[in-house]
Amino acid sequence: MHRSSATALTLAVLAVLVTGCSDDGSDTDAAPGTPTSAAGAPTGEAPPDPVTSTAATTPTAGTAANTAQVCRAVDQLIIDGSRQITADSADATREELTPEQLNGKLKGRLSRLADDVREQARKAKEARIKKLVNETATKIEAGAAAKSPASWMGTDFVDIPPRLTRDCHV
């Protein structure tokens, strides 16, 4: 029974990764945030800070200067958190953890992710983005508090990336 829980969680997280959070359309083999050349190869340069970099995107009229940076930072947190959860669930399958042990790992991982997302909300200058990112952190906290975070991942977590793509990157 516990193998199927870990497998279901892995599939749910993979769905999030496939859906993606970023609207830039790029897909390279480089590590997340690694600058790439026009051919898609890593450049070897240090990646820019997604929150403080101002050259990446010019804000549109009516948006705060850091909206794009905050949205990209939240996207990257969700992607990185999804990858870590996928790795945790693969480990759980390999180690034959009980559902309770897997849920304990997920609760901790989701709680840390919620804290990191809330930190980005504090950095947002635009009220609409601050509210959206805080709501995202609250949803992730609900997953950490859920009786079965693995089930929550398969239902509620998968809705977060499309919402961020739709509402944060406008």
Side-chain angles (χ1 to χ4, degrees), residues 123-134:
K123 294 177 183 180
K125 293 179 182 171
E126 186 177 343
R128 178 184 67 82
I129 298 301
K130 183 179 289 285
K131 180 179 182 229
L132 174 67
V133 175
N134 268 320

Side-chain angles (χ1 to χ4, degrees), residues 19-85:
T19 301
C21 300
S22 178
D23 64 345
D24 68 358
S26 67
D27 184 19
T28 67
D29 292 332
T34 302
T36 57
S37 68
T43 64
E45 299 172 13
D49 181 340
V51 176
T52 60
S53 174
T54 57
T57 303
T58 304
T60 59
T63 63
N66 76 338
T67 293
Q69 291 84 4
V70 168
C71 290
R72 277 194 310 276
V74 173
D75 287 347
Q76 195 60 51
L77 287 169
I78 299 294
I79 290 168
D80 291 346
S82 296
R83 287 180 178 147
Q84 292 167 342
I85 289 167

Side-chain angles (χ1 to χ4, degrees), residues 4 23 31 56 73 76 87 97 107 117 120 137 146 157:
S4 62
D23 64 345
Q76 195 60 51
L97 297 182
K107 286 176 184 274
V117 169
Q120 291 304 314
F157 188 73

Side-chain angles (χ1 to χ4, degrees), residues 118 134-144 152 156 160 163:
R118 194 164 312 284
N134 268 320
E135 288 171 353
T136 300
T138 299
K139 286 180 183 195
I140 296 169
E141 286 171 343
W152 178 86
D156 295 27
I160 291 173
R163 181 173 185 229

